[in-house]
Amino acid sequence: MITPIAFRLTLMSLAVLIVASALSVFAAANHVPVTGVDEIVLPITANDLKPPECAGLNLTEVVIWRNGMARDRDPGLILGSPNADAIRGGKGGDCILGGGGDDLLDGDQGADVCIGGPGNDTFQQCSVKIQ
């Protein structure tokens, strides 16, 4: 016959196991939402993207050039395509990157930095010309 002390210990052990199992189930069902506390979001500007040759320019916009595009805006980082382009800067000092192909790079107004690429590029009204 089981003694009363052994019976009580067995009953208490069983109760502890039941409570521990229940807590484990509740903890596993918890969903903690992602807070993003450790994320850092910084805006990227044209000045962050410009090449070192354009370090002296304060650029305000990034422009992806399309032939036939008219541009008379603030200083920008103007990006040509891998094909032949006729790129014309606008007001202020632009940083013009020709890309591939035989490009015509025209700084127009301001102290412009014109950087060609693969191909035979033609430079007009550029303060700095880099082939």
Side-chain angles (χ1 to χ4, degrees):
M1 183 174 286
I2 299 178
T3 62
I5 294 175
F7 180 72
R8 286 184 186 162
L9 284 174
T10 304
L11 194 57
M12 286 177 53
S13 297
L14 185 61
V16 168
L17 286 174
I18 291 172
V19 169
S21 296
L23 290 176
S24 174
V25 168
F26 290 131
N30 274 347
H31 175 71
V32 179
V34 177
T35 61
V37 170
D38 59 340
E39 291 181 18
I40 298 173
V41 178
L42 300 173
I44 296 176
T45 66
N47 284 317
D48 298 322
L49 298 174
K50 68 184 175 187
E53 295 84 0
C54 299
L57 301 175
N58 184 25
L59 307 177
T60 58
E61 64 181 354
V62 176
V63 177
I64 299 179
W65 187 261
R66 293 182 323 265
N67 280 328
M69 182 180 212
R71 188 165 182 289
D72 191 24
R73 298 174 59 172
D74 295 333
L77 175 62
I78 304 172
L79 307 173
S81 74
N83 304 316
D85 295 309
I87 301 174
R88 183 173 182 220
K91 295 188 239 179
D94 295 307
C95 181
I96 302 173
L97 305 176
D102 298 339
D103 299 315
L104 168 63
L105 307 177
D106 183 357
D108 197 21
Q109 304 171 19
D112 302 298
V113 176
C114 298
I115 303 172
N120 296 316
D121 299 317
T122 305
F123 299 93
Q124 296 177 349
Q125 300 183 60
C126 296
S127 298
V128 177
K129 302 169 189 168
I130 301 170
Q131 179 57 52

